[in-house]
Amino acid sequence: MRVRPFRGLRPRAELAGKIASPPYDVLSSDEARELAAGDPYSFLHVVKSEIDLDPALDPYDDRVYEKARENFDGMVERGWIVRDEAPAFYVYRLTQGEHRQTGIVGAAAVDDYLEGRIKRHEHTRPDKEKDRTRHLDALSACVGPVFMTYRGVPELNALVNGLTSAEPAVDFVAADGVRHELWVAADGAITGQIEQLFHKIQRTYVADGHHRAASAVNVARRRREALEAPTGDEPCHYFLTVHFPADQLQVLDYNRLVRDLNGLDPEAFLGRVRDRGFEIRPKDRQWRPPHPETFGMYVAGKWSLLVAGPEIVDACGDDATARLDVSILTRHLLEPVLGIGDPRTDRRIEFVGGSRGLGELQRRVDSGEHAVAFALYPTSLEQVMAVADAGDVMPPKSTWFEPKLRSGLVIQTLEGERL
């Protein structure tokens, strides 16, 4: 794999905790607006710039992207964000409770993505991909990294461990309790070693950030075509990533909400679910699925546990994708009972990350915003890699990785002649 050091734009150390923000896709516009209210430093003004405009404005309006660039340029002009003098790799550690993961921030080759060495396990939603493409193009910078994983390389692990024995350049605890630490590796001998060790890796995987990766490639293609005599060192040949060893990651559940019952009343809906081969076990409280092939369901003010029957499981055969819980739910319930066509484009379905808990599912059904919620057992990382290695894709929003990487902590610009 080709992963390069680059001259990152970064918040000044004393401002990093104020500026770095959650990624754009874990907050609604209203949540982001409330979180950033009265806080000029928050990078939410860049990644979700609609919060600085009339709430009635279409979030895909041209003015939203213009505002993002204005806010970004303003942070640079005020000296809040500055460029490093030399190309560097950055070691990024996140600690959440007892969980800790340490990755390498670098610029990954667009060609590795186009030629299939960077493996994907999800399709993107066209509207979201277009949005991030326009956002990245307007900023001319990758401001939120793509979360990557790979099967560990002992020599690379040892090198990272050595780098993190020093004091970090950045160290702060965010409002959600996650600690973020960053080390800068700018020594030429070290960056050369890291590059060579990445060359030993045959494939990497997009864990989180499929839309960011696809948008970076879209922009790169257009910019590369405009180059008269490309050298391969131009920033547009690369995009911002953080690579974590697979054995350090944790995957949470990614749950579903559906706005209506497809014309059915609750009793008829439950009857159709049974007819499709699910056993329904009523519960008197919120219920998290205990193992694969089970699902929590909340409808009409009541929780149940759904258990996929043997005819459903047998129909999956040895197909790694078909055996995923998200596939079972989609193919045997969401499609035939609720009429959900393509989950990437159907606006009747929404996705809620497991970090928000079952209470968020219940709240949104009780509010009348949605009619039914489904809680899923987390997809394992082994399943993710197996599907990607087979060249297949999962249903949208199959995995929720936690903790989330901060946006604006390290930025890769797409302007200039060299990384």
Side-chain angles (χ1 to χ4, degrees), residues 92-115:
Y92 183 16
R93 173 175 289 165
L94 300 96
T95 305
Q96 183 180 45
E98 298 299 314
H99 175 79
R100 186 171 75 176
Q101 60 190 60
T102 307
I104 298 174
V105 182
V110 167
D111 283 342
D112 281 339
Y113 183 98
L114 293 173
E115 295 166 12

Side-chain angles (χ1 to χ4, degrees), residues 122-142:
E122 289 184 8
H123 286 307
T124 56
R125 297 182 69 162
D127 56 339
K128 299 298 184 184
E129 181 177 330
K130 182 179 179 181
D131 167 54
R132 286 301 97 181
T133 298
R134 294 180 66 192
H135 185 269
L136 192 155
D137 204 24
L139 295 181
S140 200
C142 298

Side-chain angles (χ1 to χ4, degrees), residues 204-283:
T204 59
Y205 304 82
V206 177
D208 195 11
H210 286 79
H211 292 92
R212 288 188 288 277
S215 64
V217 171
N218 291 341
V219 172
R221 279 172 156 166
R222 290 204 295 265
R223 295 194 175 205
R224 294 200 309 188
E225 289 171 0
L227 295 173
E228 292 185 4
T231 65
D233 286 331
E234 295 87 357
C236 64
H237 291 283
Y238 298 87
F239 64 100
L240 182 65
T241 58
V242 187
H243 284 81
F244 294 92
D247 59 5
Q248 293 186 18
L249 302 186
Q250 63 177 356
V251 189
L252 303 185
D253 43 312
Y254 212 156
N255 303 313
R256 272 71 174 138
L257 287 159
V258 180
R259 292 190 182 279
D260 59 72
L261 297 181
N262 198 28
L264 302 170
D265 61 36
E267 184 176 350
F269 166 69
L270 294 176
R272 290 287 306 279
V273 171
R274 291 189 184 93
D275 291 344
R276 293 297 307 179
F278 291 92
E279 179 188 352
I280 302 177
R281 301 176 185 175
K283 301 295 179 182

Side-chain angles (χ1 to χ4, degrees), residues 202-379:
Q202 298 300 308
R203 61 178 67 90
T204 59
Y205 304 82
V206 177
D208 195 11
H210 286 79
H211 292 92
R212 288 188 288 277
S215 64
V217 171
N218 291 341
V219 172
R221 279 172 156 166
R222 290 204 295 265
R223 295 194 175 205
R224 294 200 309 188
E225 289 171 0
L227 295 173
E228 292 185 4
T231 65
D233 286 331
E234 295 87 357
C236 64
H237 291 283
Y238 298 87
F239 64 100
L240 182 65
T241 58
V242 187
H243 284 81
F244 294 92
D247 59 5
Q248 293 186 18
L249 302 186
Q250 63 177 356
V251 189
L252 303 185
D253 43 312
Y254 212 156
N255 303 313
R256 272 71 174 138
L257 287 159
V258 180
R259 292 190 182 279
D260 59 72
L261 297 181
N262 198 28
L264 302 170
D265 61 36
E267 184 176 350
F269 166 69
L270 294 176
R272 290 287 306 279
V273 171
R274 291 189 184 93
D275 291 344
R276 293 297 307 179
F278 291 92
E279 179 188 352
I280 302 177
R281 301 176 185 175
K283 301 295 179 182
D284 58 3
R285 56 185 171 84
Q286 295 174 6
W287 202 261
R288 190 175 299 279
H291 53 75
E293 300 166 6
T294 62
F295 309 84
M297 181 176 70
Y298 185 69
V299 63
K302 297 179 180 178
W303 280 94
S304 300
L305 178 68
L306 302 185
V307 181
E311 62 273 28
I312 293 176
V313 177
D314 291 346
C316 298
D318 295 325
D319 187 323
T321 304
R323 296 190 69 87
L324 296 170
D325 281 2
V326 288
S327 297
I328 290 173
L329 183 70
T330 300
R331 297 176 184 178
H332 297 274
L333 198 160
L334 296 181
E335 289 177 359
V337 178
L338 292 175
I340 298 296
D342 184 352
R344 295 188 303 148
T345 57
D346 197 319
R347 296 189 179 275
R348 295 172 53 229
I349 188 170
E350 290 193 25
F351 308 90
V352 178
S355 60
R356 298 210 171 194
L358 300 186
E360 176 68 5
L361 300 180
Q362 182 169 327
R363 183 191 70 79
R364 292 176 68 174
V365 173
D366 288 344
S367 72
E369 181 185 356
H370 295 85
V372 60
F374 299 95
L376 283 77
Y377 191 79
T379 304

